[in-house]
Amino acid sequence: EVITRRVAENLNKEQFLQRCKDLNILLIENLSERILRKTLINYGIDEQVIASYGSLKLLELLLELKLISHNTGLDFITSKTNIIERLDYKDTNDFLKELFALYAFRQVASHKTESNSKFIKALEAFQIEESGVASSYLYALETVYEKLTSSLNKIVEIIEK
């Protein structure tokens, strides 16, 4: 089913997960890990430090660098060394938590062996309680759309700073 089609009011869990999986393809799988990695390495980030990072983690790191630049007043291009020195790889902002949660939904949808706890944790990232969606996942899907829109707008805002 095409992602832009109207959503049934009695949306079940499997349909919800399929929609999230389709969103994941659109928003996350189209992120170029190679380009993000190359950009960060060219910026001065140690290749070995980010060797295990996937596209979302690389994007998170790039956004963190932009935030450091903005919050400190350091020029993003001419003050690379100072910005990188201030980077804490383990303590980044959680402005991509919704995208990481969307990816978790994709994993649950694709791998039936994934635990229910991963599903619940992803719901919680969107501030959705599992008990509130038992009869229909329509509210959950609307919340996912709204939170992802907000998250994407925040990403654009950070990039444009």
Side-chain angles (χ1 to χ4, degrees):
E1 184 175 337
V2 178
I3 198 167
T4 57
R5 289 201 182 131
R6 186 179 169 123
V7 179
E9 286 186 32
N10 60 346
L11 190 72
N12 64 36
K13 183 178 179 180
E14 289 73 30
Q15 292 168 321
F16 168 78
L17 287 171
Q18 183 58 50
R19 290 265 178 166
C20 290
K21 186 176 175 182
D22 292 343
L23 275 172
N24 181 77
I25 291 168
L26 179 69
L27 298 175
I28 298 172
E29 289 185 17
N30 285 316
L31 287 173
S32 174
E33 183 177 329
R34 182 180 59 81
I35 290 172
L36 288 167
R37 185 177 315 285
K38 189 173 183 177
T39 300
L40 288 166
I41 291 167
N42 287 339
Y43 190 76
I45 300 296
D46 183 350
E47 184 174 359
Q48 297 305 313
V49 173
I50 61 172
S52 64
Y53 288 13
S55 57
L56 279 180
K57 193 67 178 165
L58 294 168
L59 176 60
E60 182 179 56
L61 198 58
L62 183 59
L63 293 172
E64 191 69 28
L65 291 168
K66 283 291 290 177
L67 274 178
I68 292 169
S69 169
H70 175 74
N71 292 340
T72 60
L74 294 169
D75 184 85
F76 188 73
I77 302 301
T78 60
S79 300
K80 292 182 208 180
T81 305
N82 290 327
I83 292 170
I84 292 169
E85 286 173 359
R86 294 170 185 242
L87 182 63
D88 183 347
Y89 292 90
K90 293 183 174 135
D91 186 27
T92 56
N93 289 290
D94 66 348
F95 41 70
L96 292 186
K97 74 177 178 180
E98 289 89 359
L99 289 174
F100 281 106
L102 181 65
Y103 181 72
F105 284 144
R106 199 267 322 147
Q107 290 176 312
V108 171
S110 297
H111 308 287
K112 300 303 179 194
T113 58
E114 289 293 333
S115 69
N116 195 49
S117 63
K118 181 177 265 192
F119 177 73
I120 293 169
K121 188 174 179 181
L123 284 175
E124 289 171 354
F126 287 101
Q127 298 173 336
I128 301 168
E129 292 190 28
E130 186 180 30
S131 62
V133 294
S135 62
S136 174
Y137 280 82
L138 180 60
Y139 164 76
L141 187 63
E142 289 173 346
T143 302
V144 166
Y145 286 164
E146 289 171 11
K147 299 272 186 186
L148 285 172
T149 299
S150 177
S151 180
L152 293 172
N153 285 334
K154 192 172 203 171
I155 291 168
V156 169
E157 183 182 315
I158 292 168
I159 290 170
E160 290 179 343
K161 286 184 178 186

